[in-house]
Amino acid sequence: MTVPGQTAGLSVFTDPLIEELSTSRTMISLSYLIGTLFGAACQPLIGKASDQWDIRRVIIGIAVAFSAILFGLSFISDMLGLTIGFVGVRMAGQGALSLAATTAISRAITHRRGLALGVSAALGSAGISLAPIGLERLITAVGIQGAWRWEALAVLAIVIPAAFFIKTPPSRKGLSKHWTPGRGWTLAEARHTGMFWVLSAAVAVSSMLTTALAFHQIALLGERGLSPLEAAANFLPQTITTLLATLVVGALIDRADPRIFVIAAMAAMSAALLLVGVVTPGWSAVFYGLVLGAAGGCLRGMEAATFARFYGVKHIGAIRGLSTAFSLGASALGPYVLALGVELDGGFTTPAALLSAIPVIVIIATVVVRPPTHSDGVRPQ
């Protein structure tokens, strides 16, 4: 139910909004950038709240706010209103609801935590990836305003009842036999390790580039000869490999070096960007979707579990809250940078090829930086 705030859920609104508000693709992308940056700034606070308060109340509060913002979006008529709406949906949907849900799982499950988070991420990814097809049909049937109102109702009807099924995690004392060294690292301590910044960079780069491609997917694939419905349907092959990669990585992350999956995700991301210039209707478009989905799936499968593995769960909300802020901020830049490149170059191929160098830099950093240890001067708590 984070879909209304996710790029995949917003991407199908892009072209109708350009027409309805009589604006340009670059202006819509700039509005999205500003909204996402402000939304990202709130994530560390939400992460701390998830550490300190009953997670059920946090999730219910987020759901109510998220629904109200979506309902308010249905009344916007200019770019200012749209930008304010983007602040709300990116803060509540893309950031807060996702962060609170994964924090709840990280705390409640200690055995095979990576697999549990992988299953959760896979199911979430499936919903997110499939949503654009239904949303495209919904917008056609009831318009932009009607679609936002239906999304607001769905958030209330699904998230709030689901929150009541979340059980309060067992006491820390009862979980003592499962504790791993370093599980109590604070945010200040984690920030002083190189791996925190490598993981945050990997998640941010993936968020930036997948958001850029998804936000402009209809236009990008349209440039390569696909119809709007075919372009929206390309989320289907993305879903397949997102699910597979998320589940496989989630199953392996508890036993393998997480850096392997960071490298794999960044390599797939770079490959997807290079494929933009050769996509045509048919199997090459399907292959593009499969590669792009694998890139996102690898990151989804390893991110939450790796932070918990390296830094523990006592302050996991605050630690991941800061990382999520970077990720959301990067996702804000992605669509604007790509739109600006298209404006300057006249097409998507060259800007995408240039952006493919960024994941390579993260791969190099991943190889160089060592995992955190207590010899870094961090005390377990």
Side-chain angles (χ1 to χ4, degrees):
M1 289 313 300
T2 67
V3 163
Q6 297 279 359
T7 304
L10 291 169
S11 64
V12 292
F13 287 86
T14 302
D15 289 337
L17 281 170
I18 290 172
E19 182 178 350
E20 181 159 319
L21 300 180
S22 300
T23 188
S24 68
R25 183 170 303 277
T26 301
M27 287 303 299
I28 289 283
S29 299
L30 180 60
S31 173
Y32 181 86
L33 184 155
I34 295 169
T36 304
L37 286 177
F38 277 98
C42 300
Q43 299 313 304
L45 296 176
I46 294 167
K48 289 180 181 179
S50 299
D51 287 334
Q52 296 172 1
W53 299 341
D54 182 352
I55 198 66
R56 290 172 296 187
R57 293 181 181 179
V58 173
I59 291 176
I60 290 172
I62 293 168
V64 172
F66 192 15
S67 180
I69 292 162
L70 286 166
F71 186 73
L73 259 176
S74 68
F75 296 98
I76 63 104
S77 59
D78 55 29
M79 290 300 299
L80 176 61
L82 180 64
T83 303
I84 294 171
F86 277 155
V87 171
V89 296
R90 297 295 281 169
M91 174 187 67
Q94 166 78 357
L97 188 56
S98 177
L99 177 60
T102 52
T103 297
I105 296 171
S106 296
R107 283 234 186 76
I109 298 175
T110 58
H111 180 63
R112 303 300 298 277
R113 181 185 287 123
L115 178 59
L117 287 164
V119 171
S120 172
L123 293 172
S125 297
I128 292 167
S129 298
L130 292 171
I133 300 173
L135 287 174
E136 196 273 336
R137 296 290 88 190
L138 181 63
I139 292 170
T140 300
V142 301
I144 297 173
Q145 292 77 14
W148 270 322
R149 291 168 190 168
W150 277 107
E151 286 183 327
L153 180 62
V155 168
L156 286 178
I158 296 174
V159 177
I160 292 179
F164 285 104
F165 284 93
I166 299 174
K167 296 182 179 180
T168 302
S171 67
R172 292 188 177 112
K173 182 177 179 181
L175 293 177
S176 60
K177 64 182 179 180
H178 298 296
W179 282 13
T180 58
R183 55 181 284 285
W185 293 29
T186 65
L187 172 60
E189 292 166 338
R191 285 203 313 257
H192 284 87
T193 64
M195 188 52 65
F196 171 83
W197 296 105
V198 168
L199 291 174
S200 296
V203 176
V205 167
S206 177
S207 180
M208 172 185 173
L209 299 177
T210 54
T211 300
L213 294 175
F215 192 82
H216 298 294
Q217 180 158 301
I218 307 299
L220 184 152
L221 294 178
E223 180 181 275
R224 306 303 305 175
L226 280 73
S227 69
L229 185 58
E230 288 172 334
N234 194 263
F235 283 107
L236 287 173
Q238 293 175 35
T239 302
I240 293 171
T241 45
T242 295
L243 281 171
L244 292 175
T246 303
L247 289 171
V248 169
V249 172
L252 296 176
I253 195 69
D254 294 316
R255 306 171 185 177
D257 186 340
R259 292 178 294 178
I260 296 171
F261 305 113
V262 175
I263 293 170
M266 293 294 98
M269 190 72 252
S270 186
L273 287 160
L274 292 172
L275 284 171
V276 167
V278 298
V279 168
T280 56
W283 287 108
S284 65
V286 172
F287 182 68
Y288 162 79
L290 293 174
V291 174
L292 182 57
C298 280
L299 258 297
R300 286 179 182 274
M302 59 74 60
E303 180 263 335
T306 302
F307 275 112
R309 175 173 169 176
F310 284 154
Y311 302 109
V313 297
K314 186 175 181 180
H315 304 286
I316 191 64
I319 292 170
R320 290 192 61 241
L322 181 59
S323 178
T324 300
F326 294 142
S327 175
L328 272 178
S331 72
L333 291 172
Y336 183 69
V337 169
L338 187 56
L340 191 60
V342 171
E343 193 172 277
L344 294 173
D345 183 70
F348 286 95
T349 300
T350 300
L354 292 173
L355 290 171
S356 69
I358 299 177
V360 177
I361 297 172
V362 178
I363 290 174
I364 295 170
T366 304
V367 173
V368 172
V369 176
R370 63 186 175 86
T373 65
H374 292 299
S375 63
D376 295 327
V378 182
R379 66 186 188 281
Q381 296 180 4

